[in-house]
DNA sequence: GTATGCGATACTGTATACATCAACGAGTAC
DNA sequence: GTACTCGTTGATGTATACAGTATCGCATAC
């Protein structure tokens, strides 16, 4: 339940911002399943805001590809197809190696950034040593998220930075809609470690190559899992 | 002057769409210079629409990076800095070679698409043979535009396609804000011809390489021109 | 039983009134 | 002369009323 106090920590955020953020989170977490209709009036009831900010939030989500908007018909949570997963990861495979390259160069010139990557490397090692468990998986994904954001933050090119940031909710949603393979965590931790080493070693090419490999492995795992047990709320077409 | 008839060819487009398109064109053409304030009320007067569609158009333009939106302060046409030009072309250099690769593969399987590229190749040759003139330059840019849209249309990956399409207004604006170098047209025509040949020959790698080269040449020319004569309405910082 | 037409319903698209806030300038105290 | 306060102005943020339209169910004709 969101606090209804007039002066929360988000006092300077507009209602449109709040509605946008809330819906984005719910879509990311899979609480709003793909295909769910989102009529403006129902959102007015659910959020307490009026139609104007709700409308703006929906348009923004549509621009990010999280919502499909049909003129004079309404909005639905966007669907996830096998093709869209392929497209997403192919595109990330194009962008993220370039981003990690920029991040590697930035780390070479910025001791603080290097410290941050070094610190995350230590955390990956600690996670690697833990026994498999739900908590460990959660800790890993939380850390992997921080790692990704660090890379995004170190990406100089604004277009590249914004585009990658915009893809993140799609990836996160996919993870939350499909089953997580505990086996995958071990491999993924190892992949992140190798990338960390390349970044800290200043080897941009190596970092880029390993990032591309990591993405290829990720999408392969996802497709394997989808083939065995169909994830909840995914259209398989 | 836009027709004011109630049932034009755009009868099914919403006013928000119309305002958005109109402003986008004016920004692209440089009629609205970078930094121009765009208050909602002034746009209401200019466009005849009410604040709601105007607002939506502004938000959309902001999402596309053509307008800067400061909360509780207003909107301005986004500024163009040297860094933003570098970022734009670096990013295009990442995306467009990948797109032309997909287009080349698509052309290999689609005779009609191949015919389209072949036809445009012929037009490039005809332009090459003309004597330099304003009209020739205009014809070239119009054709180059069609060529780019053909590539975009042949790009399978939806993320890639949409992202490239979103960058086009930025490139167009740059061209319209800076002086066009007639010398450049000859070189650029030749570069397009080489790319056409690679596409028609089914050599995706070659097409990608030539596209990257073409972009590098383009940005180099732009910087040279900016260094000599500062283009109208550009912030040089 | 099936298909077609009509009407009720609920939604989006638009306009506009109101609330709130930042920027600017006049006036005054010092 | 300078700095500060306060009121004015015009902008955005929000709420809501109204208009137009797609959709769905039901009745009716065949």
């Amino acid at each position: 339940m969101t606090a209804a106090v007039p002066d929360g920590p988000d006092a300077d955020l507009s209602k449109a911002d709040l509605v946008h953020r809330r819906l984005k989170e719910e879509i990311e977490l899979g609480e709003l399943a793909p295909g769910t209709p989102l009529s403006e009036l129902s959102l007015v009831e659910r959020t307490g805001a009026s139609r104007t900010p709700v409308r703006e939030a929906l348009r923004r989500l549509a621009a990010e590809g999280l919502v499909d908007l049909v003129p004079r018909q309404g909005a639905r949570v966007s669907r996830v197809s096998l093709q869209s997963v392929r497209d997403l990861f192919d595109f990330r495979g194009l962008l993220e190696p370039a981003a990690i390259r920029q991040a590697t160069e930035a780390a070479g010139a910025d001791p603080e950034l290097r410290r941050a990557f070094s610190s995350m490397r230590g955390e990956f090692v600690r996670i690697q040593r833990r026994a498999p468990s739900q908590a460990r998986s959660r800790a890993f994904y939380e850390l992997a998220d921080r790692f990704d954001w660090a890379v995004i933050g170190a990406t100089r090119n604004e277009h590249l930075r914004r585009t990658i940031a915009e893809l993140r909710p799609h990836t996160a949603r996919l993870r939350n809609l499909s089953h997580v393979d505990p086996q995958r965590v071990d491999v993924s931790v190892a992949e992140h470690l190798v990338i960390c080493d390349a970044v800290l070693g200043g080897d941009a090419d190596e970092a880029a190559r390993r990032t591309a490999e990591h993405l290829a492995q990720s999408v392969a795992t996802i497709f394997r899992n989808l083939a065995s047990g169909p994830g909840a709320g995914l259209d398989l077409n």
Side-chain angles (χ1 to χ4, degrees), chain A residues 64-175:
Chain A
E64 297 166 12
L66 292 172
V67 153
D68 289 334
L69 218 51
V70 183
R72 278 179 220 86
Q73 189 165 347
R76 307 178 88 85
V77 178
S78 70
R79 301 191 178 269
V80 179
S81 67
L82 286 186
Q83 187 58 47
S84 74
V85 175
R86 257 191 297 267
D87 280 2
L88 173 63
F89 276 84
D90 283 348
F91 195 47
R92 289 182 62 194
L94 189 63
L95 302 186
E96 297 192 11
I100 199 101
R101 210 172 253 125
Q102 294 192 11
T104 303
E105 286 158 13
D110 179 353
E112 182 152 0
L113 183 60
R114 198 160 48 244
R115 259 199 303 279
F117 276 109
S118 179
S119 157
M120 286 188 288
R121 187 191 183 285
E123 293 186 65
F124 277 119
V125 170
R126 276 198 294 282
I127 286 180
Q128 194 175 36
R129 290 181 184 145
R130 288 173 63 175
S133 72
Q134 284 275 343
R136 176 178 178 249
S137 294
R138 265 202 307 278
F140 164 69
Y141 284 119
E142 188 271 331
L143 176 57
D145 248 33
R146 287 210 331 266
F147 179 84
D148 287 351
W149 277 115
V151 174
I152 290 173
T155 300
R156 287 273 185 281
N157 190 301
E158 197 193 323
H159 292 286
L160 183 56
R161 191 171 61 237
R162 285 181 48 173
T163 307
I164 293 182
E166 207 168 281
L167 295 177
R168 290 203 51 67
H170 291 268
T171 308
R173 172 161 77 143
L174 210 55
R175 190 162 64 217

Side-chain angles (χ1 to χ4, degrees), chain A residues 26-36 77-82 85 170-180 222 225-236:
Chain A
E26 291 184 0
I27 294 174
E28 245 186 74
L29 293 174
E31 295 171 2
L32 287 172
T36 305
V77 178
S78 70
R79 301 191 178 269
V80 179
S81 67
L82 286 186
V85 175
H170 291 268
T171 308
R173 172 161 77 143
L174 210 55
R175 190 162 64 217
N176 290 322
L177 284 178
S178 61
H179 305 303
V180 171
I222 289 177
N225 288 351
L226 289 183
S228 61
L234 295 180
D235 303 336
L236 301 181

Side-chain angles (χ1 to χ4, degrees), chain A residues 2-23:
Chain A
T2 316
V5 289
D7 302 278
D10 311 324
D12 56 339
L13 269 70
S14 73
K15 295 209 177 188
D17 290 329
L18 294 173
V19 173
H20 170 75
R21 194 177 62 183
R22 173 170 165 184
L23 287 179

